[in-house]
Amino acid sequence: MRLDRKALSPPLRPANLLSARRLAFAWSVMASIALLAWVLVVDQARDMGVEPGTMGMGVVPLFLLLWLVMMIGMMFPSVAPVALTWVRAIGRRSPTGVVRAARTAEFLAGYLLAWTAFGLIAYGLLAGTGALVDEHPGAGRWIGAGAFLVAGLYQFGPWKDLCLRHCRSPMGQLVRYAGFRPRARDLRVGAHHGAYCVGCCWGLMVVLVPLGVMNVLAMAAVAVVIFVEKLWRLGPVFSQVVGAVFLVLAVLSLFQPWLLPGLIPPQSPMTEMLRRLPL
């Protein structure tokens, strides 16, 4: 797909929309929330192995809770410019700091609502692949190759381009949002932008199936890719480079199982002992 100049236009810069003091405070709040989420995720990952399935959480609400913490850590740095821009718009109409904080929280709740909906899909996908790999261990390499293939092809697709354009330069949509009816406006704006964000990033999340959902290094790498795609001037070009890497991994994973730690069934102590016995 050919990239035009509009696709390579710089993303929205909140520095021109907020005072330096308010910008620093808002960034520090978003960064602190994301950092806290990462601390919680890393602490939880210590007690979980990188293995197929839903990380041992058979209860959907418990899975979604951890999923949301993961999304806060991975997505908040890249969504910060849009959030700060909307905060500026909120500040013009909200007389007190309490009202501004409540409306900002409503915006972020709407954003996370979109990722919660995708979390339900992720739960079903992980549960299905986990059950299949447990029953047929050899299927893991095909599932992993398929995941990398889908993610790689999506990086070159029109829907990725459309959603990435919105996430990089959402000003036109933010102006449109001002015309929404006041009732639950901030929640709806957050959910609408979150839906675009899911459309932009769901392929990147799919690669966590073969790499391991609780693989902290893989999560960090995906978070960096998302951040660079959305905020770097050459983000669209970088996005296609990442897609090419995924396509290469799709081929290599058929022959190199170590590339698929999230699809290798855990070995029981007895199985491991028997495997090491001399023949």
Side-chain angles (χ1 to χ4, degrees):
M1 181 183 63
R2 187 180 64 181
L3 292 171
D4 56 24
R5 292 183 178 180
K6 187 178 294 185
L8 295 176
S9 60
L12 179 66
R13 300 296 184 188
N16 298 325
L17 304 175
L18 296 173
S19 67
R21 181 175 61 85
R22 291 184 177 180
L23 179 65
F25 175 76
W27 268 107
S28 64
V29 171
M30 294 289 287
S32 297
I33 294 174
L35 180 60
L36 177 60
W38 274 109
V39 170
L40 294 175
V41 168
V42 172
D43 182 69
Q44 189 68 27
R46 291 176 180 175
D47 301 325
M48 294 181 175
V50 180
E51 58 187 55
T54 58
M55 301 166 290
M57 290 181 289
V59 182
V60 175
L62 186 60
F63 174 87
L64 289 179
L65 179 61
L66 182 57
W67 174 262
L68 284 180
V69 174
M70 290 170 54
M71 293 305 101
I72 290 172
M74 296 175 67
M75 306 304 303
F76 267 30
S78 61
V79 79
V82 177
L84 299 185
T85 304
W86 187 246
V87 167
R88 177 180 181 268
I90 289 173
R92 292 177 174 178
R93 301 176 178 85
S94 304
T96 66
V98 173
V99 175
R100 288 194 293 270
R103 292 189 61 186
T104 303
E106 189 176 346
F107 169 85
L108 293 176
Y111 179 82
L112 292 176
L113 184 63
W115 278 106
T116 301
F118 183 73
L120 291 172
I121 299 175
Y123 179 86
L125 182 63
L126 290 169
T129 56
L132 183 59
V133 170
D134 285 343
E135 187 173 352
H136 305 286
R141 62 175 180 169
W142 297 104
I143 296 173
F148 282 125
L149 178 63
V150 169
L153 292 177
Y154 187 72
Q155 292 292 105
F156 294 92
W159 284 104
K160 172 72 178 192
D161 180 62
L162 174 67
C163 294
L164 184 58
R165 283 173 182 263
H166 170 89
C167 292
R168 286 173 55 83
S169 298
M171 182 59 75
Q173 289 292 338
L174 292 176
V175 172
R176 174 191 169 196
Y177 293 153
F180 279 15
R181 293 181 180 179
R183 186 175 182 180
R185 175 190 293 166
D186 301 300
L187 183 70
R188 289 157 55 206
V189 170
H192 189 272
H193 179 67
Y196 270 100
C197 195
V198 171
C200 180
C201 303
W202 72 264
L204 297 173
M205 296 300 172
V206 166
V207 302
L208 293 179
V209 173
L211 296 179
V213 176
M214 291 307 294
N215 185 333
V216 175
L217 290 179
M219 283 189 287
V222 170
V224 170
V225 169
I226 292 170
F227 186 85
V228 173
E229 279 187 348
K230 294 183 179 181
L231 300 183
W232 188 30
R233 184 178 68 86
L234 297 178
V237 177
F238 177 75
S239 175
Q240 296 194 357
V241 171
V242 171
V245 172
F246 286 161
L247 294 180
V248 172
L249 289 175
V251 176
L252 292 179
S253 60
L254 290 173
F255 309 99
Q256 302 294 333
W258 62 270
L259 292 171
L260 309 171
L263 292 172
I264 299 176
Q267 297 288 338
S268 67
M270 180 61 70
T271 301
E272 184 68 15
M273 182 181 67
L274 292 175
R275 187 180 67 84
R276 294 185 180 184
L277 288 176
L279 297 177

